[in-house]
Amino acid sequence: MIHLGSFAVYNLLIGYLLIHREEPGLTSLLLYAAAMATHFVTSDFGLRDDHKHRCDRTGRWIMAAAVLAGWALGAATRLPELMTGFLFVFRAGGVVLNVPKEELPEDRQSRFRPFLGGAAAYALVIVAI
């Protein structure tokens, strides 16, 4: 429950940052949503491996509700800019820690080149923004 609960809080944070992005506008929104949707897919596979029964029954609904709750919280409140910056850094650290954990485990025969290509393409998108 602690593992799923921490991911629910993490998803709440992602939903909050959906409203309070660094760059306003539709392009920024679409890029953020696409990046986080891809991240959710990767995280979902990892959570299902660890907690299949719980994820299938209630976990996926809790994770989705957490994103919506974060969005609603972001629409209703606004934290100071410095705190929002810390939340972005925390979210970025979560992505950096979760992606290699799920994408590069030895038991899944993952390949480093496609991972590196995806990381480079994402870096180009971030630089372009």
Side-chain angles (χ1 to χ4, degrees), residues 38-86:
T38 304
H39 181 58
F40 286 149
V41 169
T42 302
S43 295
D44 183 58
F45 280 119
L47 286 172
R48 288 190 83 233
D49 278 348
D50 294 339
H51 312 286
K52 182 166 179 38
H53 179 68
R54 225 177 264 267
C55 277
D56 286 347
R57 202 178 73 209
T58 57
R60 62 185 172 158
W61 297 107
I62 291 170
M63 299 302 159
V67 175
L68 293 174
W71 174 82
L73 187 63
T77 63
R78 182 168 192 82
L79 293 173
E81 191 173 320
L82 182 62
M83 184 63 168
T84 303
F86 283 129

Coordinates of all heavy atoms in Angstrom, one line a residue, residues 38-86:
T38 N 3.2 9.0 -21.5 CA 4.2 8.0 -21.7 C 4.8 7.5 -20.4 O 5.0 6.3 -20.2 CB 5.3 8.6 -22.7 OG1 4.7 9.1 -23.8 CG2 6.3 7.5 -23.0
H39 N 5.1 8.4 -19.5 CA 5.6 8.1 -18.2 C 4.6 7.2 -17.4 O 5.0 6.2 -16.8 CB 6.0 9.3 -17.5 CG 6.6 9.1 -16.1 ND1 7.7 8.3 -15.9 CD2 6.2 9.5 -14.9 CE1 8.0 8.3 -14.7 NE2 7.1 9.0 -14.0
F40 N 3.3 7.5 -17.5 CA 2.3 6.8 -16.8 C 2.3 5.3 -17.3 O 2.1 4.4 -16.6 CB 0.9 7.4 -17.0 CG 0.7 8.6 -16.1 CD1 -0.1 9.6 -16.6 CD2 1.4 8.8 -14.9 CE1 -0.3 10.8 -15.8 CE2 1.2 9.9 -14.1 CZ 0.3 10.9 -14.6
V41 N 2.4 5.2 -18.6 CA 2.4 3.8 -19.2 C 3.5 3.0 -18.7 O 3.3 1.8 -18.2 CB 2.4 3.9 -20.8 CG1 2.7 2.5 -21.4 CG2 1.1 4.5 -21.3
T42 N 4.7 3.6 -18.7 CA 5.9 2.9 -18.1 C 5.7 2.6 -16.7 O 6.0 1.4 -16.2 CB 7.1 3.8 -18.3 OG1 7.3 4.0 -19.7 CG2 8.4 3.1 -17.8
S43 N 5.2 3.5 -15.9 CA 5.0 3.3 -14.4 C 4.0 2.2 -14.2 O 4.1 1.4 -13.3 CB 4.6 4.6 -13.8 OG 5.7 5.5 -13.8
D44 N 2.9 2.3 -15.0 CA 1.8 1.3 -14.8 C 2.3 -0.1 -15.0 O 2.0 -1.0 -14.3 CB 0.7 1.6 -15.8 CG -0.5 0.7 -15.7 OD1 -1.0 0.6 -14.5 OD2 -0.8 0.0 -16.6
F45 N 3.2 -0.4 -16.0 CA 3.7 -1.7 -16.2 C 4.5 -2.2 -15.0 O 4.4 -3.3 -14.6 CB 4.6 -1.8 -17.5 CG 3.8 -1.9 -18.7 CD1 3.9 -0.9 -19.7 CD2 3.0 -3.0 -19.0 CE1 3.2 -1.0 -20.9 CE2 2.3 -3.1 -20.2 CZ 2.4 -2.1 -21.1
G46 N 5.3 -1.3 -14.4 CA 6.1 -1.6 -13.3 C 5.2 -1.9 -12.0 O 5.5 -2.8 -11.3
L47 N 4.2 -1.0 -11.8 CA 3.3 -1.3 -10.7 C 2.5 -2.6 -10.9 O 2.3 -3.3 -9.9 CB 2.4 -0.1 -10.5 CG 3.0 1.2 -10.0 CD1 2.0 2.3 -10.1 CD2 3.4 1.0 -8.5
R48 N 2.1 -2.9 -12.1 CA 1.4 -4.1 -12.3 C 2.3 -5.3 -12.1 O 1.8 -6.4 -11.6 CB 0.8 -4.2 -13.7 CG -0.4 -3.2 -13.8 CD -1.2 -3.4 -15.1 NE -2.1 -4.5 -14.9 CZ -2.2 -5.5 -15.7 NH1 -1.4 -5.6 -16.8 NH2 -3.1 -6.5 -15.5
D49 N 3.5 -5.2 -12.4 CA 4.4 -6.3 -12.1 C 4.6 -6.6 -10.6 O 4.6 -7.7 -10.1 CB 5.9 -6.1 -12.7 CG 6.0 -6.4 -14.1 OD1 5.1 -7.0 -14.7 OD2 7.0 -6.0 -14.7
D50 N 4.6 -5.5 -9.8 CA 4.8 -5.6 -8.4 C 3.5 -5.9 -7.6 O 3.5 -6.6 -6.6 CB 5.4 -4.3 -7.8 CG 6.8 -4.1 -8.3 OD1 7.4 -5.1 -8.7 OD2 7.2 -2.9 -8.3
H51 N 2.3 -5.4 -8.1 CA 1.1 -5.4 -7.4 C -0.1 -5.7 -8.3 O -1.1 -5.0 -8.4 CB 0.8 -4.1 -6.7 CG 2.0 -3.5 -6.0 ND1 2.4 -4.1 -4.8 CD2 2.8 -2.5 -6.2 CE1 3.4 -3.4 -4.3 NE2 3.7 -2.4 -5.2
K52 N 0.0 -6.8 -9.1 CA -1.0 -7.1 -10.1 C -2.4 -7.1 -9.6 O -3.3 -6.3 -10.2 CB -0.7 -8.4 -10.8 CG -1.7 -8.7 -11.9 CD -1.3 -9.8 -12.8 CE -2.2 -10.2 -13.9 NZ -2.9 -9.1 -14.5
H53 N -2.7 -7.8 -8.6 CA -4.1 -7.9 -8.1 C -4.6 -6.6 -7.6 O -5.7 -6.1 -8.0 CB -4.2 -9.0 -7.0 CG -5.6 -9.1 -6.5 ND1 -6.7 -9.6 -7.2 CD2 -6.1 -8.8 -5.3 CE1 -7.8 -9.6 -6.5 NE2 -7.5 -9.1 -5.3
R54 N -3.8 -5.9 -6.8 CA -4.3 -4.6 -6.3 C -4.4 -3.5 -7.4 O -5.3 -2.7 -7.4 CB -3.2 -4.1 -5.3 CG -3.9 -3.6 -4.0 CD -2.8 -3.2 -3.0 NE -2.5 -4.3 -2.1 CZ -3.1 -4.4 -0.9 NH1 -4.0 -3.5 -0.6 NH2 -2.9 -5.3 -0.1
C55 N -3.4 -3.6 -8.4 CA -3.5 -2.6 -9.5 C -4.7 -2.8 -10.3 O -5.4 -1.8 -10.7 CB -2.2 -2.6 -10.3 SG -0.9 -1.7 -9.6
D56 N -5.0 -4.0 -10.7 CA -6.1 -4.3 -11.5 C -7.5 -4.0 -10.9 O -8.4 -3.5 -11.5 CB -6.1 -5.8 -11.9 CG -5.1 -6.1 -13.0 OD1 -4.5 -5.2 -13.5 OD2 -4.8 -7.3 -13.2
R57 N -7.6 -4.2 -9.6 CA -8.8 -4.0 -8.9 C -9.1 -2.5 -8.5 O -10.1 -2.0 -8.9 CB -8.9 -4.9 -7.6 CG -10.3 -5.1 -7.2 CD -10.3 -6.0 -6.0 NE -9.9 -5.2 -4.9 CZ -9.3 -5.7 -3.8 NH1 -9.0 -7.0 -3.7 NH2 -8.9 -5.0 -2.8
T58 N -8.1 -1.9 -7.8 CA -8.3 -0.6 -7.3 C -7.2 0.4 -7.7 O -7.5 1.6 -7.8 CB -8.6 -0.6 -5.8 OG1 -7.4 -1.1 -5.2 CG2 -9.8 -1.3 -5.4
G59 N -6.0 -0.1 -7.8 CA -4.9 0.8 -8.0 C -5.0 1.7 -9.2 O -4.7 2.9 -9.1
R60 N -5.4 1.2 -10.3 CA -5.4 2.0 -11.5 C -6.5 3.2 -11.4 O -6.3 4.2 -11.9 CB -5.7 1.2 -12.7 CG -7.0 0.5 -12.7 CD -7.2 -0.4 -13.9 NE -8.4 -1.3 -13.7 CZ -9.0 -1.8 -14.7 NH1 -8.6 -1.7 -15.9 NH2 -10.1 -2.6 -14.4
W61 N -7.5 2.9 -10.6 CA -8.6 3.9 -10.4 C -8.0 5.0 -9.5 O -8.3 6.2 -9.6 CB -9.8 3.3 -9.9 CG -10.4 2.3 -10.9 CD1 -10.5 1.0 -10.8 CD2 -11.1 2.6 -12.1 NE1 -11.0 0.4 -11.9 CE2 -11.4 1.4 -12.7 CE3 -11.3 3.8 -12.8 CZ2 -12.1 1.4 -14.0 CZ3 -12.0 3.8 -14.0 CH2 -12.3 2.6 -14.6
I62 N -7.3 4.5 -8.5 CA -6.7 5.5 -7.5 C -5.7 6.4 -8.2 O -5.7 7.6 -8.0 CB -6.1 4.7 -6.3 CG1 -7.2 4.1 -5.5 CG2 -5.2 5.7 -5.5 CD1 -6.7 3.1 -4.4
M63 N -4.9 5.8 -9.1 CA -3.9 6.6 -9.8 C -4.5 7.6 -10.7 O -4.1 8.7 -10.8 CB -3.0 5.6 -10.6 CG -2.2 4.6 -9.8 SD -1.1 5.4 -8.6 CE -0.9 4.1 -7.5
A64 N -5.6 7.2 -11.4 CA -6.3 8.1 -12.3 C -7.0 9.2 -11.5 O -6.9 10.4 -11.9 CB -7.3 7.4 -13.2
A65 N -7.6 8.8 -10.4 CA -8.3 9.8 -9.6 C -7.3 10.8 -9.0 O -7.6 12.0 -8.8 CB -9.1 9.1 -8.5
A66 N -6.1 10.3 -8.7 CA -5.0 11.2 -8.1 C -4.6 12.3 -9.1 O -4.4 13.5 -8.7 CB -3.8 10.4 -7.7
V67 N -4.5 11.9 -10.4 CA -4.2 13.0 -11.4 C -5.3 14.0 -11.5 O -5.0 15.2 -11.5 CB -3.9 12.3 -12.8 CG1 -3.7 13.4 -13.8 CG2 -2.7 11.4 -12.7
L68 N -6.5 13.5 -11.5 CA -7.7 14.4 -11.6 C -7.8 15.3 -10.3 O -8.0 16.5 -10.4 CB -9.0 13.7 -11.8 CG -9.1 13.0 -13.1 CD1 -10.4 12.1 -13.2 CD2 -9.1 14.0 -14.3
A69 N -7.5 14.7 -9.2 CA -7.5 15.5 -7.9 C -6.4 16.5 -7.9 O -6.6 17.7 -7.5 CB -7.3 14.6 -6.7
G70 N -5.2 16.2 -8.5 CA -4.1 17.2 -8.6 C -4.5 18.3 -9.5 O -4.2 19.5 -9.2
W71 N -5.1 18.0 -10.6 CA -5.6 19.0 -11.5 C -6.6 19.9 -10.9 O -6.5 21.2 -11.0 CB -6.2 18.3 -12.8 CG -6.8 19.3 -13.7 CD1 -6.2 20.1 -14.6 CD2 -8.2 19.7 -13.7 NE1 -7.1 20.9 -15.3 CE2 -8.4 20.7 -14.7 CE3 -9.3 19.3 -13.0 CZ2 -9.6 21.3 -15.0 CZ3 -10.6 19.9 -13.3 CH2 -10.7 20.9 -14.3
A72 N -7.5 19.4 -10.1 CA -8.5 20.2 -9.4 C -7.9 21.0 -8.3 O -8.2 22.2 -8.2 CB -9.6 19.3 -8.8
L73 N -6.9 20.5 -7.6 CA -6.2 21.2 -6.6 C -5.4 22.4 -7.3 O -5.4 23.5 -6.7 CB -5.2 20.3 -5.9 CG -4.5 20.8 -4.7 CD1 -5.4 21.2 -3.6 CD2 -3.5 19.8 -4.2
G74 N -4.8 22.1 -8.4 CA -4.1 23.1 -9.1 C -5.0 24.2 -9.6 O -4.6 25.4 -9.7
A75 N -6.2 23.9 -10.1 CA -7.2 24.9 -10.5 C -7.7 25.7 -9.4 O -8.0 26.9 -9.6 CB -8.3 24.2 -11.2
A76 N -7.7 25.2 -8.2 CA -8.3 25.9 -7.0 C -7.2 26.6 -6.2 O -7.6 27.6 -5.5 CB -9.0 24.9 -6.1
T77 N -5.9 26.2 -6.3 CA -4.9 26.9 -5.5 C -3.7 27.2 -6.3 O -3.5 26.7 -7.4 CB -4.4 25.9 -4.4 OG1 -3.8 24.8 -4.9 CG2 -5.6 25.5 -3.4
R78 N -2.9 28.1 -5.7 CA -1.6 28.4 -6.4 C -0.5 28.5 -5.3 O -0.7 29.4 -4.4 CB -1.7 29.7 -7.1 CG -0.4 30.1 -7.9 CD -0.7 31.2 -8.9 NE 0.4 31.4 -9.7 CZ 0.7 30.7 -10.8 NH1 -0.2 29.7 -11.2 NH2 1.7 30.9 -11.6
L79 N 0.5 27.7 -5.4 CA 1.6 27.8 -4.4 C 2.6 28.9 -4.9 O 2.6 29.3 -6.0 CB 2.3 26.4 -4.4 CG 1.5 25.2 -3.8 CD1 2.3 24.0 -4.0 CD2 1.2 25.5 -2.4
P80 N 3.4 29.3 -3.9 CA 4.4 30.3 -4.3 C 5.3 29.7 -5.4 O 5.5 28.5 -5.5 CB 5.2 30.5 -3.0 CG 4.3 30.1 -1.9 CD 3.4 29.0 -2.5
E81 N 5.9 30.6 -6.3 CA 6.7 30.2 -7.4 C 7.9 29.3 -7.0 O 8.2 28.3 -7.7 CB 7.2 31.4 -8.2 CG 7.8 31.1 -9.5 CD 8.1 32.4 -10.3 OE1 7.3 33.3 -10.2 OE2 9.1 32.4 -10.9
L82 N 8.5 29.6 -5.9 CA 9.6 28.8 -5.4 C 9.2 27.4 -5.1 O 9.9 26.4 -5.5 CB 10.3 29.5 -4.2 CG 11.5 28.8 -3.7 CD1 12.6 28.8 -4.7 CD2 12.0 29.5 -2.4
M83 N 8.1 27.3 -4.4 CA 7.6 25.9 -4.1 C 7.2 25.1 -5.4 O 7.5 23.9 -5.5 CB 6.3 26.1 -3.2 CG 5.8 24.7 -2.7 SD 7.1 23.9 -1.7 CE 6.1 22.6 -1.0
T84 N 6.6 25.8 -6.3 CA 6.2 25.2 -7.6 C 7.5 24.7 -8.3 O 7.5 23.6 -8.9 CB 5.4 26.1 -8.5 OG1 4.3 26.5 -7.8 CG2 5.0 25.4 -9.8
G85 N 8.6 25.5 -8.2 CA 9.9 25.1 -8.8 C 10.4 23.8 -8.1 O 10.9 22.9 -8.8
F86 N 10.3 23.7 -6.8 CA 10.7 22.5 -6.1 C 9.9 21.3 -6.5 O 10.4 20.2 -6.7 CB 10.6 22.7 -4.6 CG 11.7 23.5 -4.0 CD1 11.4 24.6 -3.2 CD2 13.1 23.2 -4.3 CE1 12.5 25.4 -2.6 CE2 14.1 24.0 -3.7 CZ 13.8 25.1 -2.9

